[in-house]
């Protein structure tokens, strides 16, 4: 139990194990391309990384969805790939292509990664955290975040997004010592980054393992669970009362072991997780967060209403934070998000 139980912030109370009615909510990628004001700010910023490293503009886009929908938490506007950027690897975001990185080629590239540069390189992001914290309403919490080592490693080895993660798996299966060295560096750098975000004002942190579900069980335990557990231990050693949310997207049945063994205060569920199973198996262990299909926010209508109500009625009777099963998509009409917020707040 964290000291968040004594706060007046519903989000932190839910993470501390309280059942809140209505439940608090926020949305992954809630500051993003579905909002016209975001698109205008993004156009003024230059590149995507320029936006991430501009404290004034990054604070502005973080606050934009709160002005419209009064979410219970703000999440720092940044990206999981600021870590490889801070470690000295080339990172760019190309229109229509997504992230493009200079891929790691072997042990020499891993040994050249500059862990000592992380805090100084990410100083603008930490300034953004402080600015957001100073600008939030009294009952709104601030979430910091980073990518999990496995997911960040896939981008660093593949050189961007991947359909099969073949290069990364080849490292993990065929060159485990070199891959472990990379994972260890990412554990250290990412943990320090989360600690720095908390130092700057973040009140909870989320670890995004977006590609966790592509691994078989044994490798999932080694490359997803063990690194995140190590990160949680590092963060809790410095900030023992700050809640940590884990998001091992695609974990399936392994969500249970993740919830039992990794040490997170909450687990975010992807869209595929059965609600009744989550309520019966996961919710007694940790606070759960999730898990509306983001495409429901695109289609809207009665189907969206039914899906929202089913999640609320199944998970809303225990420790719960309403969210999506993955990030909101650019095609989501803002009025559908307003409908979602209205429906959550009406829940009793």
């Amino acid at each position: 139990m964290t000291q968040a139980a004594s706060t007046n912030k519903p989000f932190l109370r839910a993470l501390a194990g309280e059942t809140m009615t209505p439940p608090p909510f926020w949305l992954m990628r809630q500051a993003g391309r579905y909002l016209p004001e975001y698109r205008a700010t993004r156009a003024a910023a230059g590149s995507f990384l320029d936006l991430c490293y501009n404290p004034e503009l990054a604070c502005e886009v973080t606050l934009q969805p709160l002005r419209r929908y009064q979410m219970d938490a703000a999440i720092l506007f940044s990206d999981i790939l600021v870590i490889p950027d801070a470690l000295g690897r080339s990172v760019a975001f190309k229109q229509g292509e997504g992230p493009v990185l200079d891929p790691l080629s072997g042990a020499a590239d891993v040994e050249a990664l500059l862990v000592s540069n992380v805090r100084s390189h990410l100083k603008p992001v930490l300034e953004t955290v402080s600015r957001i914290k100073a600008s939030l309403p009294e009952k709104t919490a601030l979430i910091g975040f980073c990518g999990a080592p496995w997911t960040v490693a896939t981008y660093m080895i593949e050189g961007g997004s991947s359909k099969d993660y073949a290069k990364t798996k080849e490292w993990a299966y065929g060159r485990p010592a070199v891959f472990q060295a990379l994972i260890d560096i990412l554990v250290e750098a990412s943990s320090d980054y989360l600690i720095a975000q908390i130092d700057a004002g973040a009140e909870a942190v989320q670890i995004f393992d977006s590609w966790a579900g592509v691994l078989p069980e044994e490798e999932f335990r080694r490359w997803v669970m063990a690194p995140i557990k190590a990160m949680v231990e590092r963060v809790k050693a410095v900030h023992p009362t700050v809640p940590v949310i884990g998001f091992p997207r695609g974990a399936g049945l392994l969500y249970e072991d993740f919830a039992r063994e990794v040490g997170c205060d909450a687990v975010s569920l992807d869209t595929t997780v059965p609600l009744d199973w989550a309520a019966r198996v996961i919710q007694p262990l940790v606070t759960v967060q999730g898990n509306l299909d983001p495409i429901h926010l695109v289609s809207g209508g009665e189907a969206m209403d039914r899906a929202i109500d089913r999640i609320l009625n199944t998970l809303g009777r225990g420790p719960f934070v309403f969210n999506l099963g993955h990030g909101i998509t650019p095609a989501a009409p803002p009025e559908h998000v307003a409908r979602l917020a209205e429906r959550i707040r009406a829940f009793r």
Side-chain angles (χ1 to χ4, degrees):
M1 185 67 69
T2 72
Q3 67 182 12
S6 62
T7 185
N8 65 345
K9 299 188 178 187
F11 173 73
L12 296 180
R13 290 173 66 181
L15 294 187
E18 271 192 70
T19 298
M20 307 295 295
T21 306
F25 87 104
W26 66 282
L27 305 177
M28 288 185 270
R29 294 194 193 133
Q30 63 189 24
R33 288 178 290 166
Y34 74 104
L35 291 177
E37 57 265 41
Y38 168 85
R39 295 194 294 270
T41 308
R42 167 73 176 82
S47 75
F48 179 76
L49 276 179
D50 287 338
L51 177 54
C52 291
Y53 291 144
N54 183 316
E56 180 181 358
L57 296 184
C59 177
E60 164 61 20
V61 295
T62 299
L63 297 174
Q64 285 171 351
L66 302 181
R67 297 185 189 122
R68 281 183 178 253
Y69 309 115
Q70 294 78 53
M71 283 91 168
D72 295 285
I75 185 165
L76 164 70
F77 181 85
S78 185
D79 193 86
I80 66 171
L81 297 182
V82 298
I83 284 290
D85 190 53
L87 290 170
R89 302 303 295 181
S90 170
V91 179
F93 290 82
K94 297 189 177 180
Q95 193 73 29
E97 191 175 346
V100 178
L101 293 80
D102 182 20
L104 297 171
S105 60
D109 283 350
V110 174
E111 291 166 5
L113 296 173
L114 302 171
V115 180
S116 60
N117 281 6
V118 170
R119 279 215 186 201
S120 60
H121 186 89
L122 298 178
K123 189 175 179 180
V125 180
L126 303 177
E127 181 184 336
T128 301
V129 174
S130 298
R131 284 179 178 237
I132 299 166
K133 181 66 179 297
S135 304
L136 288 179
E138 181 185 354
K139 292 191 174 183
T140 306
L142 175 56
I143 307 167
F145 77 94
C146 70
W150 164 258
T151 287
V152 175
T154 70
Y155 285 99
M156 296 180 75
I157 293 170
E158 306 287 341
S161 302
S162 175
K163 292 183 178 179
D164 58 12
Y165 308 92
K167 293 179 183 177
T168 314
K169 288 183 176 184
E170 190 278 322
W171 278 47
Y173 301 171
R175 293 187 273 174
V178 176
F179 192 63
Q180 185 69 62
L182 173 60
I183 292 294
D184 290 345
I185 288 168
L186 291 172
V187 166
E188 180 182 352
S190 303
S191 303
D192 189 52
Y193 178 42
L194 290 183
I195 291 165
Q197 290 180 55
I198 297 167
D199 291 342
E203 297 165 284
V205 292
Q206 177 156 317
I207 301 170
F208 286 82
D209 215 345
S210 300
W211 312 129
V214 305
L215 286 169
E217 179 184 359
E218 183 178 343
E219 286 74 20
F220 180 92
R221 293 182 183 280
R222 181 170 184 181
W223 304 122
V224 172
M225 288 176 57
I228 296 178
K229 182 177 182 181
M231 289 179 63
V232 173
E233 289 171 351
R234 284 172 174 254
V235 171
K236 294 284 190 178
V238 181
H239 294 290
T241 64
V242 173
V244 179
I245 307 166
F247 183 33
R249 181 172 173 246
L253 293 176
L254 289 168
Y255 263 109
E256 179 179 1
D257 289 352
F258 185 96
R260 288 186 183 278
E261 299 174 26
V262 171
C264 292
D265 301 273
V267 173
S268 197
L269 309 177
D270 66 68
T271 298
T272 69
V273 177
L275 296 176
D276 292 339
W277 179 83
R280 186 179 72 254
V281 175
I282 307 300
Q283 205 165 27
L285 303 173
V286 292
T287 298
V288 295
Q289 176 177 279
N291 65 338
L292 184 71
D293 189 336
I295 303 305
H296 273 303
L297 278 180
V298 178
S299 59
E302 291 183 6
M304 182 182 81
D305 288 350
R306 286 195 304 270
I308 293 167
D309 291 351
R310 182 159 181 262
I311 293 169
L312 289 169
N313 285 313
T314 308
L315 299 177
R317 312 299 178 184
F320 176 55
V321 175
F322 197 105
N323 207 309
L324 304 178
H326 199 213
I328 192 169
T329 67
E335 58 268 25
H336 291 179
V337 182
R339 172 69 173 171
L340 167 68
E342 174 188 310
R343 207 158 186 90
I344 293 169
R345 292 202 182 94
F347 176 70
R348 293 293 181 269

